[in-house]
Amino acid sequence: MAKMLYPFLIVVALALVGYAGGSLPALQVVFGIIIPYIAMAAFVAGFAYRMLGWVRSPVPFRITTTAGQQRSLPWIKANNLEAPANKLGVLGRMALEVLLFRSLFRNTSAGLRGKRLLFGEEKLLWAGGLLFHYSFLVIILRHTRFFLDPVPFFVPWLQAVDGFFQVGVPAMYITTATILVALLFLFARRVVMPQIRYISLPADYFPLFLILGIGTTGVLMRHFFRVDIEAVKELALSLVVLQPRIPANVGPLFFAHLALVSSLLVYFPLSKLMHMGGIFLSPTRNLTNDNRRRRHVNPWNYPVPTHSYAEWQEEFKEKLEMAGIPLDEDLDHKPEMAAARGGHA
Amino acid sequence: MYDGKYIVPGLLIFLAVFFIPTAYTYATGGPSQPPKPALPANETQCVESKDWMRDNHMQLLVQWREDVVRNNDRTYTSFTYNKQYKKSLTNTCLKCHDNKQDFCDSCHTYAGVSPNCWDCHNVPKEVSS
C-alpha cells in the first residue's frame, strides 16, 4: 500500500507547492521561470547523458528472435519484417516497434481455468499503452499553440478533429478523455491484477500519478477554473524565446500545472521513462538477423596468444625426429588457418 | 563508441526538436506583443463587467445561442447593470465591436483559439467590403 501511497502523496505535494508558489507574487519568478528552466536543462542534459552512456555499452552479438523465418535457402519463404536480413527490414521492424508497439502486441498471459493452465492473448496492455501514448502526442502537439508564435498551421486542424464532438465551451477534446481513461486503466491494471501488483514499485506508480496530475490540472484550467489564457501564452512564449517575464493574472492553478510538468522533465532521465530514447536501442529489434551469413566479431575481443600444433611441431622438430615420432608433412601452409582458429580479429 | 554513427545523429535530432520552438519563433519575426483588443469608441460598458466578459464571454454566447435557437428567449438581463439586451451576436455584440479583426481575432489568433461562431454568422463589414 505504501508503494502506492507515497508516490501519490509526493505528486499531491508537488502540485500544492506549485499552487502555493503561484499564489505568492514574490515566488512566481521561482516557480514560473527559475524552476522551469532548471527542469528543461536537466531534461536535455540528463537525456543526452543517458544516451551517451548507452553509446559506450557494446552489443556483443546479434540476438536473433524466433518471431519469423530467417532468410536461408531460396525455396524457404523468409519473413523480412520479423527476421530482417537487411537494413530495410530492420527499418520496418523498428517502425512497427516504435509506432505500433509490436512487441507488446505479442503479450500473452497465463491463467488457471479450473485445474487447467491456459495461455491466452493479452492485448489490453497494448491497447491501453497505445491509447495513452498517442493521446499524449496529440496533446503535446496541441500545446504548441502556447509556445509557438505564430500558432502553427496544424494546430487548428488538430483542434477541429480533437474537439469534433463540441461538448461544452471551451470544447472538450477527445484526447483529454482518452488519456485520462488510458492512465486510469494502466493504474487499475497494477492494482487489480495480483501478479502485476506484486511486481509494481513506487517508480511504476509515480509517473502514472504525475501524468494524471498534469492532466487533471489541465482539465481544471480549461473546463472548471479558467485561467487567463493570454497571460499563460505570454509566460510560456517568454520562456521559449529566452526573455522570461511573469505577466499579471496568471492563475495559481497554472503554476501547479507547471510545477508538475517541471517535475516530469526532471524525473524523465532518472527513470524508466527513458524508454523514449531507449526503444531505439533495443538489440533484439534494431540488429539484422544475419549472424549465420556474416561474421560478427565480439567488439571487446583482445588478441589472445595462441600456440598452434604447427608452431609446436616447428619448435620441437628436431627432438621429435630424434625420437622417431612422425611429423605432419603438409603443415607448411597450415599455420595461417591455425591462427584464424584462435578466434581474434 | 558503439553504433555512434546512428545514436549521435539521433541525439542531435532530439536536441534540434527541443529547440524548434525558439528557432521557429525567432525565424518568423520574434515573439509578438500580447494583444490589445480595440475597444469601441462610442460605448463604455459591455453587457457585463469587463473582467467577467473576458473570462466568460464564450459561455455567454453559447447560452444566448441556445436560448434563442431552442427556446425563443431573446431578452437578456444584465446582472451587473440590470439592463436589458437583445440576445444577438450580429445586432448586439457586433453593433459596438464592429471590427472582428481588431477585436475578436486579436486574442483568438494570439492564443490559437478557433471559435465556431463564423461557421454560421457572417461579418457584416467583411461581406460588404
Side-chain angles (χ1 to χ4, degrees):
Chain A
M1 197 57 207
K3 290 195 299 186
M4 246 176 276
L5 191 64
Y6 288 134
F8 179 74
L9 291 179
I10 292 171
V11 170
V12 171
L14 286 169
L16 288 178
V17 167
Y19 192 92
S23 312
L24 301 168
L27 285 179
Q28 284 188 349
V29 176
V30 178
F31 284 90
I33 295 173
I34 299 174
I35 290 179
Y37 270 144
I38 293 175
M40 282 185 245
F43 174 66
V44 172
F47 199 99
Y49 178 79
R50 292 293 302 268
M51 293 302 286
L52 292 175
W54 287 326
V55 178
R56 286 194 294 270
S57 312
V59 178
F61 200 67
R62 337 230 111 186
I63 306 163
T64 47
T65 46
T66 51
Q69 173 61 49
Q70 199 176 107
R71 194 171 108 190
S72 59
L73 296 165
W75 43 270
I76 297 176
K77 198 178 169 193
N79 186 338
N80 203 33
L81 265 184
E82 303 288 11
N86 50 28
K87 287 263 158 61
L88 190 69
V90 169
L91 210 66
R93 181 162 74 172
M94 282 305 288
L96 278 180
E97 185 65 29
V98 172
L99 301 175
L100 296 172
F101 310 169
R102 179 79 178 92
S103 297
L104 211 51
F105 194 69
R106 269 193 260 274
N107 196 18
T108 56
S109 72
L112 285 175
R113 185 83 34 96
K115 281 191 173 175
R116 290 200 306 157
L117 177 65
L118 294 179
F119 292 90
E121 303 226 327
E122 160 67 52
K123 303 289 188 214
L124 274 177
L125 176 60
W126 169 80
L130 204 67
L131 192 64
F132 163 73
H133 281 86
Y134 273 101
S135 302
F136 208 175
L137 176 67
V138 170
I139 289 171
I140 289 171
L141 288 177
R142 275 205 274 106
H143 272 66
T144 55
R145 76 185 173 115
F146 293 115
F147 44 83
L148 288 179
D149 183 49
V151 175
F153 64 94
F154 59 82
V155 168
W157 300 353
L158 274 181
Q159 288 175 331
V161 175
D162 209 356
F164 179 75
F165 292 113
Q166 300 193 354
V167 181
V169 181
M172 197 186 85
Y173 291 123
I174 298 166
T175 45
T176 306
T178 50
I179 197 173
L180 293 179
V181 166
L183 282 166
L184 287 174
F185 164 72
L186 294 173
F187 169 64
R189 182 181 153 269
R190 292 192 180 277
V191 178
V192 173
M193 297 166 74
Q195 304 97 316
I196 308 292
R197 187 169 65 219
Y198 182 73
I199 61 167
S200 292
L201 297 170
D204 296 313
Y205 292 111
F206 183 70
L208 282 175
F209 292 146
L210 192 58
I211 299 171
L212 262 176
I214 291 170
T216 311
T217 48
V219 166
L220 289 177
M221 272 194 293
R222 183 174 171 86
H223 299 293
F224 294 96
F225 311 100
R226 281 185 304 283
V227 294
D228 190 332
I229 192 174
E230 195 195 303
V232 167
K233 170 141 192 182
E234 205 184 326
L235 172 57
L237 196 59
S238 79
L239 289 177
V240 165
V241 299
L242 310 174
Q243 300 167 3
R245 65 166 185 272
I246 302 277
N249 312 325
V250 189
L253 199 53
F254 173 75
F255 283 94
H257 190 66
L258 193 60
L260 291 178
V261 173
S262 302
S263 310
L264 182 67
L265 288 177
V266 173
Y267 182 68
F268 203 97
L270 307 172
S271 66
K272 66 174 193 172
L273 300 179
M274 268 309 289
H275 69 264
M276 178 173 134
I279 190 167
F280 294 98
L281 310 188
S282 316
T284 60
R285 307 281 92 194
N286 67 7
L287 294 170
T288 41
N289 288 11
D290 58 359
N291 13 6
R292 295 200 291 184
R293 270 179 296 120
R294 200 165 292 149
R295 182 155 190 252
H296 298 280
V297 177
N298 187 344
W300 65 67
N301 265 7
Y302 48 86
V304 179
T306 54
H307 198 56
S308 66
Y309 180 72
E311 287 160 358
W312 185 83
Q313 180 175 289
E314 195 61 34
E315 189 180 340
F316 296 103
K317 201 169 184 178
E318 288 173 16
K319 288 178 179 161
L320 288 168
E321 275 170 350
M322 276 158 55
I325 295 171
L327 295 174
D328 284 2
E329 294 297 331
D330 53 346
L331 280 184
D332 289 347
H333 37 260
K334 273 193 179 171
E336 281 173 22
M337 281 178 64
R341 225 186 298 131
H344 57 83
Chain B
M1 204 91 104
Y2 301 92
D3 285 334
K5 63 177 171 173
Y6 300 117
I7 298 172
V8 171
L11 196 55
L12 289 178
I13 291 172
F14 166 76
L15 289 177
V17 168
F18 190 84
F19 286 104
I20 279 179
T22 314
Y24 171 87
T25 302
Y26 276 114
T28 53
S32 52
Q33 289 306 308
K36 289 197 181 69
L39 296 178
N42 50 1
E43 191 68 53
T44 51
Q45 66 180 45
C46 198
V47 297
E48 304 288 355
S49 72
K50 188 177 152 194
D51 285 341
W52 192 90
M53 288 306 291
R54 194 184 159 94
D55 192 13
N56 296 293
H57 64 277
M58 62 303 256
Q59 296 190 324
L60 182 82
L61 287 170
V62 167
Q63 188 61 47
W64 281 17
R65 180 190 72 191
E66 275 165 26
D67 288 348
V68 170
V69 175
R70 296 187 187 159
N71 305 326
N72 193 26
D73 170 8
R74 291 174 188 274
T75 315
Y76 179 73
T77 311
S78 163
F79 62 81
T80 314
Y81 306 117
N82 204 23
K83 274 171 71 178
Q84 297 217 319
Y85 293 95
K86 192 168 180 234
K87 289 178 183 168
S88 168
L89 177 73
T90 317
N91 295 326
T92 306
C93 306
L94 295 182
K95 195 181 73 187
C96 306
H97 301 292
D98 54 1
N99 193 330
K100 170 175 172 277
Q101 246 175 17
D102 290 349
F103 185 72
C104 310
D105 292 350
S106 66
C107 298
H108 290 163
T109 307
Y110 181 72
V113 181
S114 7
N116 55 9
C117 311
W118 319 105
D119 293 2
C120 308
H121 289 275
N122 60 33
V123 189
K125 283 197 172 172
E126 278 183 7
V127 170
S128 61
S129 63

